[in-house]
């Protein structure tokens, strides 16, 4: 059902990674992404992926969550793999008509897939271990310098917070409305494209009406509590870096260095690279 | 034959995640045709999940549901047909209105049933009359109405399908006392006229005592009891232990009994209490304690 959409699904916990400062988690995730794209050979990439499993174990997130987060990007992975496999040069090991599969092609396909899987799984780990609110707080803090060039950072972060906050509410509401209309015999599962599109009307109209009503009420509630934008606003929960975050950063930098060294070594040994 | 039969029904939300929650646990229940059942229980006791099962909106994790002797989850086509037999009015049903006119909104259900124009028109007008909507309101937009009126339109939308079983999930939440009495009175009248089975989820024991013939008590996702209203409220102290209230008059009766007056425990209406006390007084029983 709708609830199964993994949209920054937060898995509450008390692990090392859960307790890290959300700003540091974002920084490390970004470093990890860059690292994945610098790692260009089989050893570095598999090393980076193996470490990801380690992170998942440390964070106590069930590893099967990876497969869940991969589901929506599966077509992209398959497509990339096919492209790499079919259009890479080299000595064919298998040939029918125009389809030439080379050893290099297979290797590249595997590497590309590993890279995408690690990318998705890595970023998912961030959202599994960080509550959406902590995440937007961190984004606000990290983007603060942009305030100087008149980017309304606080407002953007507030919008994100509200949007994130209301995703589950709206999903729940959608489900309620869907159930109510289904109880009145609305049929949403059969029929052609036009029929299905028309079947959405009884859901979308009440949903919009209620979304506007909620927005109105929320705006009023915020004004009643004297909300006037970010200026001079303090926080109840201050973001604080601890030694834990330092350790994590150092670990990540060491890892990055190892990957770079691995890259150099791979070129020297003449390993195939991406 | 029971119109609703539930066997070993269990439902678990978000199975296999940290948010796992057992909403309904091993419920067995048979409800006879024509019964007016008050469903009571704490917030989160599994009432709403239970009633959504009866309409086939939620699939049981385990267990079976029979409506009119037919297994609800046997096949999809049948489920769609059975759904018309069980009308479900959700909490705050006014938020599901969407059509341009009140008439069209009430006609949405009957139209989905595939009835012909004439029958639809007949049913819409009858349902509108039941909930006290006048003919001149039918061409208005449902969004122009007041909250209470919207709710009545939404209820009419389900009544128009003329279901054998009508389930209402707190139809009076958020209404003023007058609006509440009006809607409940109309439901009662519908029950008496159509002789359908009604399940009324309510937090008000007064309402259950006044309108229902039977009461179903849910507690911690289990069915605590299903019996006549008299017998249920005779267990007033247990019900109060669950954090639910009992009708005020039941408390009065309990108090009198505790003081040694010999009146039956299963009285739950003011009228019944009056009779019992008068009878006792005539026998001279009111002077001794």
């Amino acid at each position: 059902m709708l609830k199964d959409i993994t949209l920054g699904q937060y898995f509450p916990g008390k692990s090392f990674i859960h307790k890290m400062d959300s700003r540091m988690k974002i920084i490390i995730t970004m470093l990890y992404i860059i690292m994945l794209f610098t790692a260009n050979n089989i050893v570095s990439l598999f090393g980076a992926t193996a470490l990801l499993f380690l992170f998942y174990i440390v964070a106590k997130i069930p590893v099967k969550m990876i497969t869940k987060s991969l589901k929506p990007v599966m077509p992209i992975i398959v497509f990339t793999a096919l492209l790499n496999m079919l259009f890479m040069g080299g000595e064919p090991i298998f040939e029918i008509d125009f389809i030439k599969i080379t050893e290099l092609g297979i290797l590249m396909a595997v590497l590309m897939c590993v890279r995408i899987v690690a990318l998705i799984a890595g970023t998912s780990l961030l959202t599994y271990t960080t509550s959406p609110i902590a995440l937007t707080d961190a984004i606000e803090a990290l983007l603060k310098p942009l305030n100087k060039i008149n980017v309304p950072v606080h407002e953007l972060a507030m919008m994100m917070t509200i949007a994130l906050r209301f995703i589950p509410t709206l999903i729940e509401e959608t489900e309620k409305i869907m159930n109510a209309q289904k109880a009145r015999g609305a049929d949403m599962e059969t029929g052609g494209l036009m029929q299905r599109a028309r079947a959405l009307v009884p859901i979308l109209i009440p949903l919009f009406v209620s979304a506007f009503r909620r927005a109105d009420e929320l705006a009023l509630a915020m004004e009643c509590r004297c909300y006037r934008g970010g200026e001079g606003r303090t926080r109840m929960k201050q973001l604080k870096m601890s030694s834990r975050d330092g350790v994590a950063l150092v670990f990540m930098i060491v890892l990055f260095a190892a990957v770079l060294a691995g890259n150099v070594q791979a070129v020297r040994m003449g390993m195939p690279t991406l | 034959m029971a119109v609703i039969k539930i066997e070993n029904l269990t439902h678990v939300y978000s199975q296999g995640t940290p948010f796992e929650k057992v909403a309904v646990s091993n419920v067995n229940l048979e409800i006879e045709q024509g019964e007016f059942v008050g469903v009571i229980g704490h917030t989160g006791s599994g009432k709403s999940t239970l009633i959504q099962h009866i309409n086939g909106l939620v699939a049981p994790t385990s267990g079976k549901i029979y409506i009119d002797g037919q297994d609800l989850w046997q096949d999809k086509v049948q489920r769609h047909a059975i759904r018309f037999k069980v009308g479900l009015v959700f909490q705050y049903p006014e938020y599901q209105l969407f059509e341009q006119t009140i008439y069209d909104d009430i006609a949405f259900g009957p139209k989905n049933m595939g009835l012909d124009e004439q029958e639809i028109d007949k049913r819409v007008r009858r349902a509108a009359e039941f909930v006290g909507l006048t003919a001149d309101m039918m061409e208005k937009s449902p969004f122009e109405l007041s909250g209470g009126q919207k709710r009545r339109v939404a209820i009419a939308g389900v009544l128009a399908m003329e279901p054998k079983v009508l389930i209402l999930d707190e139809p009076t939440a958020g209404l003023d006392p007058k609006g509440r009495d009006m809607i409940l009175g109309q439901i009662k009248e519908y029950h008496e006229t159509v002789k359908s089975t009604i399940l009324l989820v309510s937090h008000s024991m007064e309402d259950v005592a006044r309108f229902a013939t039977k009461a179903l008590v849910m507690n911690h996702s289990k069915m605590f009891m299903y019996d006549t209203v008299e017998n249920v409220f005779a267990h007033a102290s247990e019900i109060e232990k669950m954090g639910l209230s009992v009708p005020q008059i039941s408390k009065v009766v309990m108090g009198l009994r505790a003081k040694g007056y010999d009146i039956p425990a299963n009285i739950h209406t003011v009228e019944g209490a009056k009779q019992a006390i008068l009878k006792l007084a005539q026998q001279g029983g009111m002077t001794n304690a």
Side-chain angles (χ1 to χ4, degrees), chain A:
Chain A
M1 273 307 279
L2 284 170
K3 271 187 195 139
D4 295 334
I5 301 174
T6 329
L7 224 165
Q9 238 180 32
Y10 174 49
F11 256 71
K14 286 196 164 84
S15 71
F16 183 91
I17 298 185
H18 279 92
K19 283 186 192 155
M20 275 170 65
D21 188 299
S22 45
R23 286 171 295 179
M24 189 51 87
K25 275 193 265 191
I26 292 183
I27 293 171
I28 288 180
T29 308
M30 282 167 122
L31 280 176
Y32 186 80
I33 295 172
I34 299 169
M35 190 185 83
L36 278 178
F37 281 94
T38 20
N40 62 2
N41 62 80
I42 191 160
V43 179
S44 311
L45 256 179
F46 274 91
T49 316
L51 271 160
L52 190 66
F53 280 103
L54 181 74
F55 292 161
Y56 266 80
I57 291 163
V58 170
K60 295 202 179 84
I61 304 289
V63 177
K64 70 165 194 241
M65 290 308 292
I66 299 182
T67 46
K68 204 175 163 195
S69 54
L70 282 178
K71 226 181 263 166
V73 285
M74 219 51 207
I76 300 176
I77 296 177
V78 172
F79 189 65
T80 324
L82 279 179
L83 277 188
N84 273 287
M85 206 147 76
L86 295 177
F87 299 106
M88 207 39 90
E91 215 33 47
I93 49 169
F94 182 79
E95 204 170 349
I96 321 172
D97 282 342
F98 59 96
I99 301 175
K100 275 190 212 133
I101 292 177
T102 65
E103 204 175 319
L104 186 67
I106 293 175
L107 182 69
M108 288 300 120
V110 171
L111 287 186
M112 255 343 231
C113 287
V114 169
R115 188 180 270 177
I116 299 174
V117 168
L119 181 72
I120 302 294
T123 41
S124 299
L125 185 62
L126 174 69
T127 50
Y128 285 145
T129 58
T130 321
S131 73
I133 301 293
L135 214 51
T136 42
D137 279 357
I139 291 171
E140 185 178 354
L142 289 173
L143 292 181
K144 201 127 237 179
L146 292 181
N147 245 341
K148 292 217 174 69
I149 51 165
N150 286 331
V151 179
V153 175
H154 170 80
E155 280 69 17
L156 288 175
M158 182 55 87
M159 276 159 63
M160 265 176 68
T161 313
I162 293 174
L164 282 172
R165 160 66 186 76
F166 276 93
I167 288 172
T169 312
L170 286 180
I171 289 179
E172 202 180 297
E173 188 111 352
T174 314
E175 243 166 30
K176 255 191 212 155
I177 295 170
M178 268 169 88
N179 276 345
Q181 307 299 27
K182 264 197 221 161
R184 293 209 276 166
D187 184 7
M188 277 161 276
E189 280 128 27
T190 55
L193 192 65
M194 275 310 283
Q195 224 176 331
R196 278 186 196 216
R198 215 171 297 136
L200 284 178
V201 174
I203 294 162
L204 289 181
I205 291 177
L207 190 62
F208 272 104
V209 171
S210 96
F212 283 123
R213 183 176 46 83
R214 274 180 202 284
D216 232 19
E217 282 169 5
L218 182 69
L220 195 65
M222 283 169 82
E223 280 192 358
C224 285
R225 294 175 201 183
C226 306
Y227 176 77
R228 346 209 26 165
E231 220 166 299
R233 195 173 160 78
T234 55
R235 294 180 171 282
M236 188 166 98
K237 284 191 181 147
Q238 299 279 354
L239 294 171
K240 242 189 236 142
M241 294 275 184
S242 63
S243 54
R244 182 183 290 123
D245 301 296
V247 171
L249 184 63
V250 170
F251 183 75
M252 191 65 216
I253 290 171
V254 170
L255 190 62
F256 207 128
V259 164
L260 286 179
N263 279 352
V264 174
Q265 192 65 22
V267 172
R268 208 177 283 159
M269 284 167 60
M271 269 206 256
T273 52
L274 272 171

Side-chain angles (χ1 to χ4, degrees), chain B residues 166-180:
Chain B
L166 176 66
I167 307 175
L168 301 117
D169 194 351
E170 290 188 47
T172 57
L175 293 183
D176 56 36
K178 206 176 139 207
R180 196 188 68 201

Side-chain angles (χ1 to χ4, degrees), chain B residues 48-66:
Chain B
S48 291
T49 313
L50 178 69
I51 57 167
Q52 286 184 33
H53 275 96
I54 301 174
N55 184 274
L57 286 172
V58 189
T61 308
S62 67
K64 282 209 156 38
I65 299 150
Y66 301 92

Side-chain angles (χ1 to χ4, degrees), chain B residues 43 59 89 213 225 261 288:
Chain B
T43 315
V89 179
T213 51
M225 71 188 300
Y261 291 106
N288 56 3

